[in-house]
Amino acid sequence: MLEADEKVIRTVRAHWFIIGIELAGVAIFSILPPLTLVILANITETNELFSGIFDNMALLVFGCLTWLFFCIVAAAMMWTHYYLDLWVITDRRIIVIDQVAFFNRKVSSFRLERLQDIKVRISGFLPTLLNFGTLLAQTASAAESNFVSPNLPAPRELQSLIQTAMDARLKALHNPRSDLYN
Amino acid sequence: MIWEFTGGADTVMQLTFCIIAIFYIIFSIILHYHWESYSMSLKITRMTYTYYFIASGLVLIPMALIAFIF
């Protein structure tokens, strides 16, 4: 994937809050059936309408475990998509890897010298508090000229890092004998 | 003639478990393929496998016991 002598400066994934909130959602979702059973167990003591519901306890437990199994599968999918979705900033390029779904992976890269503009957008209370936001990179490429990546951590630092890398790259290209070129 | 299901809860659970087991095998292969192909950290890959197989095992083993033994 990397060119000869190309150095990785940083790899960036979405902010931990994003995967945290997704996994918390799955965790809450996974306890719904057992919680419903507990509520029903309390109701059956007073209400005859639900009295026969616990006649086949094995089936109910099996149903709850099936639900839990699919919650684990969903969590594994979310984690995989989160972890495999990343920006790789090297001393020559920015590689944007978008793991959309299983068997749906989009890898784009643009060279630092072709980078025209890089913008940061932090909107909302939580993104401001936790310092994450959207990074928009515009390139001079004829094909896909805009790269948008939401929920990146410390976007201002990232913007500064990319600009520094871009300056170093331009300096190296205009001064081939410089050490930066190697 | 209308087909009538004559099996009990045991049959339903056993059949469901077999379908889930097949799904689990296919999903695990897909997951393994993605992590082996695209992960950049062996440590995180191993951690993911460990959590995934422990969590799914803790659910699938009781499911198998309920479906086939109890």
Side-chain angles (χ1 to χ4, degrees), chain A residues 24-97:
Chain A
V26 173
I28 291 167
F29 210 58
S30 69
I31 59 163
L32 284 180
L35 200 70
T36 312
L37 286 181
V38 170
I39 293 165
L40 279 177
N42 288 323
I43 291 171
T44 49
E45 286 172 7
T46 53
N47 195 335
E48 283 182 14
L49 191 69
F50 299 104
S51 58
I53 206 159
F54 290 102
D55 287 353
N56 199 337
M57 198 62 192
L59 192 64
L60 285 176
V61 174
F62 187 84
C64 286
L65 288 170
T66 306
W67 180 277
L68 194 58
F69 169 78
F70 284 108
C71 287
I72 290 166
V73 167
M77 270 172 72
M78 284 171 183
W79 169 248
T80 303
H81 294 157
Y82 166 80
Y83 191 79
L84 300 181
D85 204 11
L86 76 161
W87 274 47
V88 183
I89 302 158
T90 75
D91 57 346
R92 294 179 192 178
R93 299 180 290 164
I94 296 175
I95 305 161
V96 182
I97 303 165

